[in-house]
Amino acid sequence: MPTVDIVKEKWTGSVREVTLGATAAEGGTRTRVLTIGGERTLPGLHFEGALPHSTALAIEVRDRRPDDWSPLLRDAWGAVLDDPAEWAKAAEALGADLIYLTLSLTTVDGQPNTPELARAVVRKVLGATGLPLAVIGPGQAEMDNALLLAVAEEAKGERLLLGNCEDKNYRTLVAAALGNDHLVTTKTPMDVNLGKQLVILVHDMGMPPERIVMDPTTGALGYGIEYGYSVMERLRLAALGGDSMTQQPMLVTPGEEAWKTKESKVGAGVPANWGDWERRAINWETLTASSLIQSGADLVVVRHPESLKRLKPLIAALSA
């Protein structure tokens, strides 16, 4: 029988390796670290180049019980939602690779969050789990700066991933990370050039590329995921083609995006052919996440414990 030669692309570039967390020997308290990136080809194409690290999975944990989450999520996590430390321990027990701690704009009684509260919750979560930790601000520039500066000082040497660096607040966050041995994540709208430009600005402040993770932003299934997928794909192709400032590992948050959609949030007053609410909602998150994994995501943040369980065999199959 005739043989068929497999056509192989020869890439000149690679994705940078970035390591999150620090063990006791490295000046931190983590029991394990997480290294992402290092790819020399596109997802799943092992015959073409090295793919040294599987896509990592993170669980999003809030600093207090979220009041805007679906009842399905609240039921799935139960009482641990009232204690971020217990929530983080539960996520670690499920097999998460990283805890993605999101700080709230206000406390449970509606008062503005404070640096002191942010310090306390980060210290509590660090004491409850040995996993690497990402800490993300509430998304308001002034509050992000105040809270994350305190967090960076409180967890000095732990090599946290601090975010999100955006065009209006990256200077303070980068300075806090540089001064306390942390990493940062850059977040931009879905645009290749904007994503690259923010990495350049952060790097120009002295942040080593090996301490930058890129969040190119994504939409959920049915809500702009095609464009987000194409942006991630173009970033990865540019990185493999040798463009240095697109060679950062990519973080995406399909959990946040998928649970915003009506299909996930609403269980009543919808067409009968939408089917079972819980099944539909979990599928929405896992299908969004699985698409992004295949577009080059290195770190994927989900919310539902069942989604984490479903994604693990997919990643294992792509890594086999």
Side-chain angles (χ1 to χ4, degrees):
M1 294 180 64
T3 58
V4 177
D5 293 331
I6 297 177
V7 177
K8 298 180 182 179
E9 191 74 46
K10 295 181 179 179
W11 300 106
T12 58
S14 63
V15 179
R16 289 188 178 88
E17 286 190 330
V18 171
T19 299
L20 298 84
T23 63
E26 298 164 324
T29 61
R30 304 301 80 207
T31 57
R32 55 181 282 198
V33 299
L34 175 65
T35 300
I36 56 177
E39 298 95 330
R40 292 184 174 274
T41 186
L42 295 171
L45 304 187
H46 300 273
F47 61 86
E48 202 170 78
L51 294 166
H53 307 291
S54 300
T55 302
L57 294 173
I59 285 286
E60 182 178 358
V61 170
R62 293 295 186 95
D63 59 349
R64 65 173 177 86
R65 174 179 281 269
D67 49 23
D68 59 346
W69 279 24
S70 164
L72 296 176
L73 288 169
R74 296 199 294 267
D75 291 344
W77 288 108
V80 301
L81 293 183
D82 294 314
D83 186 337
E86 293 301 316
W87 195 348
K89 286 168 64 176
E92 182 175 14
L94 284 170
D97 300 302
L98 177 135
I99 303 300
Y100 187 88
L101 175 64
T102 303
L103 303 176
S104 301
L105 188 62
T106 62
T107 62
V108 71
D109 57 359
Q111 298 301 309
N113 204 348
T114 67
E116 293 73 26
L117 290 174
R119 286 177 182 268
V121 73
V122 167
R123 181 51 54 195
K124 191 174 182 182
V125 171
L126 284 170
T129 173
L131 294 179
L133 179 65
V135 183
I136 308 301
Q140 184 191 82
E142 288 187 12
M143 186 65 82
D144 286 353
N145 291 344
L147 298 181
L148 291 173
L149 176 58
V151 165
E153 294 172 348
E154 183 67 24
K156 183 179 177 66
E158 295 284 3
R159 289 181 63 85
L160 303 181
L161 180 63
L162 299 177
N164 287 302
C165 287
E166 300 182 77
D167 60 352
K168 56 185 175 291
N169 74 338
Y170 71 90
R171 294 176 181 84
T172 300
L173 297 191
V174 171
L178 283 170
N180 296 280
D181 195 22
H182 300 303
L183 300 84
V184 296
T185 177
T186 61
K187 186 177 179 69
T188 53
M190 296 181 198
D191 185 281
V192 171
N193 292 324
L194 290 177
K196 177 179 175 179
Q197 181 62 30
L198 186 54
V199 170
I200 292 172
L201 292 172
V202 168
H203 178 54
D204 285 349
M205 284 192 65
M207 180 62 73
E210 293 74 19
R211 288 165 60 185
I212 303 172
V213 176
M214 177 187 291
D215 180 351
T217 308
T218 182
L221 180 70
Y223 291 83
I225 192 172
E226 299 87 352
Y227 190 70
Y229 186 107
S230 70
V231 167
M232 291 175 66
E233 190 174 50
R234 288 159 59 202
L235 282 166
R236 184 51 47 89
L237 289 170
L240 295 174
D243 186 340
S244 177
M245 290 295 102
T246 62
Q247 292 175 337
Q248 308 311 126
M250 290 187 288
L251 175 154
V252 288
T253 54
E256 177 184 359
E257 296 301 326
W259 287 96
K260 289 179 183 177
T261 68
K262 181 179 180 181
E263 290 83 355
S264 294
K265 291 181 70 172
V266 179
V270 300
N273 61 7
W274 282 21
D276 178 75
W277 179 22
E278 183 174 24
R279 181 171 180 268
R280 176 195 342 131
I282 295 172
N283 282 345
W284 220 269
E285 183 175 32
T286 53
L287 287 170
T288 299
S290 63
S291 299
L292 299 175
I293 288 168
Q294 294 177 71
S295 71
D298 296 279
L299 179 57
V300 174
V301 185
V302 296
R303 288 183 173 178
H304 200 288
E306 180 61 26
S307 298
L308 184 82
K309 293 178 183 177
R310 292 186 185 184
L311 291 168
K312 279 188 168 292
L314 167 68
I315 292 171
L318 282 173
S319 303

